[in-house]
Amino acid sequence: MFTLTTRSFFIYSFALVLFLFHALAEAGLVRGGGRGTYSDSSNTDFVLVANDQINDLGLREGYTAVEVNGFNSGLDALLATPSFCDIEFFDFQDLQDAINFGGFVEEPCYYQVYENDPTIDFLGFGRGLFQLASNVEITWTLSRAGETPIVLAGAASDISGENVSYIGPMPTELFAGEYLVDLTVEFFSGPNMEFFRASGDSTDDVGCDEVAPGDVQCYMREFSPSDTLRFDSAFSERLVVLPGSAPINEPAMWGLLGLGLLLLRRSTTK
C-alpha cells in the first residue's frame, strides 16, 4: 500500500507549486497608439434574408431582413486585434495630419507569448459579423517566410458581438521568433437564406420589371446575392514568440511559495 511520508508529501507539494507557476503564464497583447485608417461616406451594407424575401430579380422591395450589418467602406471590415488597435479618420487630410505629426503608428498592437506557455489566445474585431448565419468558419493563420503556415480553426474560436476570440493549446510547431497573424471569417447562409451585399453608394434604388405577362416584380437594384460572405483581416498582425517561460509576477510568486510552505509545515507537524 502507498504511504504518504513527509518526504513524499514535500516532493508532491513542491511539484504542485512548480505546476502552478507554469500554468499562470499568459499570452500578452502589447498595446500601442492605434493604427490609422481612412473613412469615407460610402456605406457598405450586408443583409441576411430568408428566401421568401427574394423574387426572380433579386432582393425584393420592402424586404424584411433576418440580420443587417453596415459600415463605411473605408473602414476595416475585420482585424486580427481588438478594436482599440484601430483609429478612424474621417477624411484624407486628417489621416495625413496624423501621419505627419506622429499619430499614425504602424504597429499599434502585437501579440507576445513564450514558447512554453500552455495556451495561446487571440482577440479580433469585425464590423460585419453575423450571429444568425447557418454556419461560420473562423481561421487564424500564423506564418513566417519559408515555413508551413500554422492554421488554428474549429471549436476553439468564437464570435460574440463584434469580437472574434480564440483560445487553445500552444501549437507544438510554434518556436521562438516572429510570425504574422491573419484572421479569416466566412459565413454560410444555409439552404433557406441568402446574403445580399450592396454594390453601390445607394441602397434604396428600386427597379421594377415585368418578368412574365402581368407579373411585375420590384427589387433592390444595388444589392447582389451570395450563399457565402467572407471577410479577411485588413492587416497581418505581428506575433513575437519568446524563448522559455513567462516570468511570474511577484504577488503570484509569493502566494504560491506561501502555499507550498504551508503544505510543507502541515506535513512535518503530523
Side-chain angles (χ1 to χ4, degrees):
M1 175 180 287
F2 174 77
T3 301
L4 186 63
T5 64
T6 299
R7 177 182 176 84
S8 61
F9 190 89
F10 171 79
I11 293 173
Y12 285 117
S13 299
F14 187 70
L16 174 62
V17 171
L18 291 179
F19 172 79
L20 292 175
F21 266 43
H22 180 73
L24 280 175
E26 293 181 349
L29 180 70
V30 182
R31 178 174 177 172
R35 188 194 300 276
T37 60
Y38 168 62
S39 303
D40 61 22
S41 59
S42 175
N43 202 57
T44 302
D45 284 342
F46 303 89
V47 298
L48 177 63
V49 299
N51 286 349
D52 60 7
Q53 302 299 305
I54 304 169
N55 58 27
D56 294 332
L57 302 174
L59 185 59
R60 70 173 177 81
E61 181 188 15
Y63 69 91
T64 299
V66 173
E67 192 172 358
V68 179
N69 284 298
F71 51 89
N72 284 347
S73 60
L75 298 178
D76 304 319
L78 185 65
L79 297 171
T81 44
S83 59
F84 60 70
C85 297
D86 194 46
I87 292 179
E88 300 174 9
F89 294 94
F90 294 98
D91 60 52
F92 183 73
Q93 189 58 51
D94 285 348
L95 177 59
Q96 282 301 119
D97 290 343
I99 295 173
N100 294 336
F101 292 99
F104 183 81
V105 181
E106 274 298 326
E107 188 177 69
C109 289
Y110 66 93
Y111 296 101
Q112 180 174 284
V113 298
Y114 287 81
E115 273 186 309
N116 296 328
D117 284 349
T119 62
I120 191 168
D121 55 272
F122 301 106
L123 180 63
F125 167 78
R127 292 185 169 91
L129 305 181
F130 283 82
Q131 313 294 318
L132 302 178
S134 175
N135 194 24
V136 59
E137 289 186 0
I138 305 169
T139 305
W140 297 83
T141 304
L142 317 180
S143 60
R144 63 177 174 178
E147 296 186 5
T148 302
I150 301 171
V151 177
L152 307 176
S157 282
D158 184 48
I159 289 180
S160 176
E162 293 184 321
N163 296 317
V164 185
S165 61
Y166 176 88
I167 181 167
M170 176 68 74
T172 56
E173 64 269 44
L174 196 64
F175 303 107
E178 296 196 10
Y179 297 78
L180 294 177
V181 181
D182 289 286
L183 171 62
T184 297
V185 179
E186 186 170 13
F187 297 96
F188 300 85
S189 63
N192 300 315
M193 295 191 292
E194 194 88 6
F195 288 109
F196 279 81
R197 173 177 178 164
S199 58
D201 292 343
S202 173
T203 58
D204 57 3
D205 185 8
V206 178
C208 296
D209 286 320
E210 190 171 9
V211 297
D215 182 11
V216 177
Q217 296 185 13
C218 295
Y219 65 102
M220 305 299 293
R221 195 191 302 270
E222 297 296 337
F223 283 85
S224 55
S226 176
D227 293 329
T228 62
L229 182 61
R230 172 173 168 154
F231 296 103
D232 296 289
S233 52
F235 306 98
S236 295
E237 300 297 347
R238 182 180 175 222
L239 168 64
V240 178
V241 181
L242 301 175
S245 301
I248 303 301
N249 62 61
E250 191 170 329
M253 178 184 71
W254 288 112
L256 290 173
L257 284 176
L259 174 63
L261 291 173
L262 178 62
L263 293 173
L264 177 60
R265 180 178 180 181
R266 286 186 176 182
S267 69
T268 56
T269 55
K270 289 183 178 179

